[in-house]
Amino acid sequence: MQDLVDLDRAGLADLLAGWGQPAFRARQLHGWLYERGEADFGAMLNLPAPLRQRLSEEATAGTLQVATEQTSRDGTIKRLYRLPDGQLIESVLMVYASGRRTACISSQAGCAMGCAFCATGQMGFARHLTVGEIVEQAWIYARQLQARGERLSNVVLMGMGEPFHNYDAAVSAIRRIMDDLGIGARHITVSTVGLVPAIRRFAEEGFQVGLAISLHATTDAQRSAMMPVNRRWDIAELIAACADYQAISGRRVTFEWALIDGENDSEAEAHRLGQLLRGLSCHVNLIPLNPTGGYAGGPTRAEVAARFVEVLESHGIPATVRVRRGIDIDAGCGQLKSTVLKRQAP
Ligand code: SAH
Ligand code: SF4
């Protein structure tokens, strides 16, 4: 079976050319899939019946099966998909009053990076996702929104997995999201734990895609204890790569900071962070920790978070405390899957 969502425009054209179809058939098929958001070959009425028949026998439009779905009070949709080999991955759609519609998608089943506080890290690595599996997560939400007269406006690679550990597929998926789903680079963000060579390579791709860095600590001792990747590329190397990315892409870099009660939320820490980021065009997203089963830490209280913001602002660093959307449905990285697995456990 050929999954059409795994193919870009040229790949679709090659497939249909190989089936002896004229070139315009591939354009029609592409239009059905991505402009009309149609996944049912039987409904593609301007394709000849024998071609529709062959497509239904030899191809699929996507491979993801919904395993569970939850809708939160704030409109957030959280899905767990089952992949053909049984792996489970999460995708979230966040709905904002401004009209913004953001899909948060996964790049791997599990994650090899082992960050202590992260539910996905606690599960370990299962496998990389294919380009089609990454793109399809965004495509499904795009179609669903289109059907209700709305539009998917933003995509963030911030679900399960480390996108830059699956570099080639993640970059191809980003190109596809731009080309096939029509979402501009400036509306796409990739979040990384800090794989420095990949950040540098990504800068050379020449996209204006947003870069988000999971920082969470200002000293190497503390960051290495929470995030093993820091033993390979330390904070100084990471910040230097971010400064270069900023200079090359012209985009402000985002730093993500999970605020952990009594761990990394003191005023002194905020001052150190302000000094570390001084002179860099950036923004800090502060996210009170989502507690996970494998980590003892808890979230910072709102007053302490507000003080952290003030200190950063005194250093000229803009910062926002993010409300974790969909908190009532475990919409934190890897959390829905851990809840479902726990429920299934004997
Ligand atoms: N692997 C990538 C992207 C996926 S994680 C990365 O690490 O950047 C998306 C974001 O959620 C990261 O900033 C990550 O550090 C953060 N995160 C993971 N577990 C969390 C938790 N329990 N509470 C708050 N943020 C968490
Ligand atoms: Fe992997 Fe990101 Fe979780 Fe770290 S925070 S374990 S890199 S998904």
Side-chain angles (χ1 to χ4, degrees), residues 277-289:
L277 302 181
R278 176 150 290 177
L280 194 64
S281 171
C282 65
H283 184 272
V284 177
N285 275 341
L286 301 163
I287 309 138
L289 183 82

Side-chain angles (χ1 to χ4, degrees), residues 65-86:
Q65 302 288 328
V66 177
T68 63
E69 172 175 303
Q70 298 176 17
T71 303
S72 163
R73 287 189 293 275
D74 61 20
T76 304
I77 301 174
K78 173 102 180 184
R79 290 219 179 100
L80 200 59
Y81 290 112
R82 184 168 289 107
L83 308 181
D85 62 354

Side-chain angles (χ1 to χ4, degrees), residues 150-217:
E150 298 176 20
R151 196 183 157 269
L152 183 66
S153 58
N154 296 68
V155 173
V156 295
L157 279 88
M158 267 187 205
M160 298 172 78
E162 167 51 41
F164 284 168
H165 181 213
N166 187 13
Y167 186 88
D168 291 338
V171 168
S172 298
I174 289 170
R175 285 187 208 281
R176 295 276 313 284
I177 289 165
M178 295 194 272
D179 184 39
D180 296 325
L181 303 186
I183 296 174
R186 303 185 70 84
H187 296 105
I188 301 173
T189 297
V190 52
S191 175
T192 178
V193 72
L195 301 180
V196 167
I199 295 171
R200 295 196 171 280
R201 190 172 160 201
F202 194 64
E204 300 303 325
E205 305 283 349
F207 298 141
Q208 289 214 310
V209 168
L211 179 68
I213 304 288
S214 297
L215 190 59
H216 309 310

Side-chain angles (χ1 to χ4, degrees), residues 44-61:
M44 301 180 178
L45 289 175
N46 61 358
L47 301 183
L51 175 56
R52 278 184 268 144
Q53 183 65 28
R54 183 158 185 192
L55 284 167
S56 63
E57 285 165 7
E58 297 180 32
T60 56

Side-chain angles (χ1 to χ4, degrees), residues 213-225:
I213 304 288
S214 297
L215 190 59
H216 309 310
T218 53
T219 66
D220 284 319
Q222 193 190 9
R223 192 165 189 269
S224 295

